[in-house]
Amino acid sequence: MIDHNGTSSGPSTLRPWLSRWNAPTMMLLGVLVGVGFGLGHHLYYQSFADAFVQSTSEQQWTVRIGTGLAFLTKTAFTAVIGIAFSQYLWVIARKKPLSLENLDAMFAMISNPISFLDINVLASAKLLTLVGIVSWLLPLIATVTPATLTVESRAKPSIIS
């Protein structure tokens, strides 16, 4: 916002330190939330170790809740990876001379896997490429972790007098 003197008085000029801490704060918060949901998922499934299932409905709800926790874990980590990717992309853009084609390929990395075929991008931004690959592999969390709950059929002995 520009006041009557012609000077800018927007949020970025009033608190320039705040913009520097937005991304790191959100990344730290996202990691803590993701670890929390992941730990919750582990402890939730651990609570069912050697437990007997009373009904199919109970088993279905157990898997549903576990899948939900896995999805929330993946979502938190995906947000963190997205923030880290964009922050590091701008670090590279400021430090290295890049063609518009290379910059476009870098921006497209998390939405278009064909961008990984650009040799110039791979050579000039190795860490960014690694972060982009991790962003493509993160959905495996939500598909693999629900399968960690296994059900074993056992006869339950009951003594009737």
Side-chain angles (χ1 to χ4, degrees):
M1 183 160 66
I2 298 177
D3 63 11
H4 64 279
N5 294 331
T7 59
S8 177
S9 62
S12 62
T13 58
L14 293 176
R15 298 175 295 191
W17 55 269
L18 185 63
S19 63
R20 283 184 293 204
W21 289 101
N22 276 345
T25 303
M26 292 306 293
M27 288 173 62
L28 180 62
L29 183 65
V31 167
L32 292 175
V33 167
V35 167
F37 280 129
L39 188 61
H41 177 270
H42 172 72
L43 294 174
Y44 179 70
Y45 273 3
Q46 191 69 33
S47 71
F48 291 104
D50 297 324
F52 289 102
V53 178
Q54 303 300 322
S55 67
T56 56
S57 175
E58 179 186 355
Q59 183 175 345
Q60 289 172 346
W61 275 104
T62 301
V63 172
R64 286 176 186 151
I65 292 170
T67 303
L69 288 170
F71 177 76
L72 291 171
T73 302
K74 178 203 89 79
T75 302
F77 287 140
T78 300
V80 170
I81 287 291
I83 295 168
F85 184 88
S86 65
Q87 293 297 308
Y88 191 62
L89 192 147
W90 285 111
V91 167
I92 291 172
R94 282 187 209 115
K95 288 184 178 181
K96 296 183 180 182
L98 299 168
S99 69
L100 190 56
E101 184 180 320
N102 289 346
L103 193 59
D104 187 42
M106 285 181 189
F107 271 106
M109 245 183 222
I110 37 180
S111 61
N112 184 3
I114 294 173
S115 299
F116 290 104
L117 300 176
D118 190 337
I119 302 300
N120 294 329
V121 171
L122 297 177
S124 63
K126 293 173 186 71
L127 184 59
L128 188 71
T129 302
L130 179 65
V131 173
I133 289 169
V134 169
S135 76
W136 280 96
L137 295 177
L138 270 176
L140 291 176
I141 291 174
T143 56
V144 172
T145 52
T148 59
L149 181 66
T150 56
V151 179
E152 179 181 325
S153 295
R154 287 191 215 163
K156 181 180 177 183
S158 63
I159 300 170
I160 302 173
S161 57

